[in-house]
């Protein structure tokens, strides 16, 4: 009985705390959000939490409490972030984290994030962003001088080819001057190629690059410009191998980095034929930390016995291209032999039946001659009858 009372008291206290935290919010938030001190990743922070509040605009954000440290504005239905979303009066000096995930955001206007220069983590995951054409605003993140983490997982619309919006994203990096950015998340964005190999050179402080769960099959990216790079996530893409060029780049980054380089290459479509040899050798000899390298599996291979074996342990690898070429040469040889046999058979048949052919030819000639004579008789004029 005592336990039930304690549970009831705790439940009532929790409910009262939630109500009080809602009352702590400015009236513009319509008691839909919770405002007050709360744990955020294990630390006590002053939080404004508007999760699943049903908002269809961001007008109330202009009236945030000045001492807010963490803004959680997720699960709403907001199509556009206008300029100066936090107003043009208050400088939010204590605001460190903004989470605007899962809001169906399509457009972010230029100079949207002003007066929040101390924000170090911006999360825009799971939205529907257009950043191309008339919706391109290179200074979206301008004035976020202290931004260290930019989360753009599944952030862009699927109706624009990733090759196009990555070009615009590079312009945004350049126009926003993100000199302190250390972590960039671009997972789950249908990325199949990086259009400009120098794209990430706009982020000189970059340490962690997340490109997992995309459709990359090649990685022609300049890495020498990233002096602090320590982690690259390429998990769950479409790589069948890695070229010696990119493997050398990994090694070079590992040598120049103070903490070394770690790469995650799991769940790719590795084909264990003779083209995998360079990558296999690299796995055995590199000083780069390859996360869970023993779990890199052959999805296909020649011989087929390699399938599902660890890439690093594949014993025998054959060349698919040479086998195809050999098969093609064999087929061509067979066709040539068949043509020779067929020609010989025709010649033998003609030789063995030459007498029959001559007889038939003579009969045809006689028949033509007779028909010609008969035709000439039919065409002669009749004699005229003479009357005396």
């Amino acid at each position: 009985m005592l336990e039930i009372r304690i549970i009831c008291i705790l439940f009532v206290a929790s409910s009262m705390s939630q109500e009080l935290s809602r009352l702590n919010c400015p009236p513009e938030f319509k008691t839909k959000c919770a405002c007050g001190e709360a744990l955020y990743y294990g630390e006590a922070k002053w939080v404004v939490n508007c999760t699943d509040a049903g908002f269809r605009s961001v007008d109330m954000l202009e009236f945030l409490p000045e001492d807010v440290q963490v803004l959680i504005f997720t699960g709403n239905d907001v199509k556009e972030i206008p300029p100066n979303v936090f107003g043009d009066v208050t400088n939010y000096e204590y605001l460190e984290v903004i989470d605007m995930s899962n809001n169906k955001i399509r457009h972010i206007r230029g100079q949207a994030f002003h007066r929040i220069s101390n924000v170090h983590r911006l999360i825009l995951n799971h939205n529907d962003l257009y950043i191309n054409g008339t919706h391109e605003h290179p200074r979206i993140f301008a004035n976020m001088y202290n931004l260290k983490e930019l989360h753009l997982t599944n952030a862009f619309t699927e109706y624009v080819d990733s090759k196009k919006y990555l070009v615009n994203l590079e312009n945004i990096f350049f126009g926003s001057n993100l000199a302190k950015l250390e972590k960039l998340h671009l997972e789950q964005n249908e990325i199949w190629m990086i259009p400009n190999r120098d794209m990430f050179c706009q982020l000189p402080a970059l340490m962690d690059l997340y490109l997992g769960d995309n459709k990359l099959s090649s990685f022609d990216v300049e890495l020498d410009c990233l002096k602090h790079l320590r982690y690259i996530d390429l998990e769950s893409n479409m790589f069948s191998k890695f070229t010696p060029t990119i493997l050398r780049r990994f090694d070079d980054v590992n040598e120049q980095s103070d903490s070394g380089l770690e790469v995650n290459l799991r769940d790719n479509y590795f084909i264990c034929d003779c083209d995998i040899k360079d990558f296999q050798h690299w796995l055995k000899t590199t000083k780069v930390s390859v996360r869970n390298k023993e779990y890199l599996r052959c999805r296909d291979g020649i011989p087929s016995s390699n399938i599902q074996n660890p890439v690093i342990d594949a014993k025998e690898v054959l060349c698919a291209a040479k086998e195809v070429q050999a098969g093609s040469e064999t087929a061509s040889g067979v066709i040539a032999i068949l043509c020779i046999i067929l020609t010989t058979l025709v010649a033998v048949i003609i030789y063995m039946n030459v007498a029959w052919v001559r007889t038939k030819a003579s009969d045809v000639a006689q028949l033509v001659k007779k028909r010609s004579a008969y035709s000439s008789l039919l065409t002669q004029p009749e004699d005229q009858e003479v009357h005396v």
Side-chain angles (χ1 to χ4, degrees), residues 8 54 56-57 68 73 76 80 102 140 155 160 173 175 183 198 211 213 275-276 351 364 371-372 380 382:
C8 291
R56 302 182 70 85
S57 76
V68 61
F73 190 90
N76 295 288
E80 179 175 301
N102 196 28
I140 286 178
V160 176
F173 291 160
K183 291 187 178 183
D198 297 325
L211 288 164
D213 290 300
D275 290 332
I276 204 76
Y351 176 77
V364 170
R371 286 186 176 179
S372 298
Q380 282 185 352
E382 295 182 359

Side-chain angles (χ1 to χ4, degrees), residues 97-129:
V97 179
I98 298 175
D99 185 354
M100 303 188 81
S101 300
N102 196 28
N103 282 314
K104 304 177 184 177
I105 300 171
R106 292 185 178 180
H107 311 306
I108 300 178
R109 299 303 179 186
Q111 301 179 343
F113 300 110
H114 274 202
R115 299 188 175 274
I116 53 170
S117 59
N118 289 325
V119 168
H120 63 74
R121 181 186 299 158
L122 177 62
I123 307 172
L124 294 169
N125 299 338
H126 307 296
N127 280 296
D128 195 26
L129 290 174

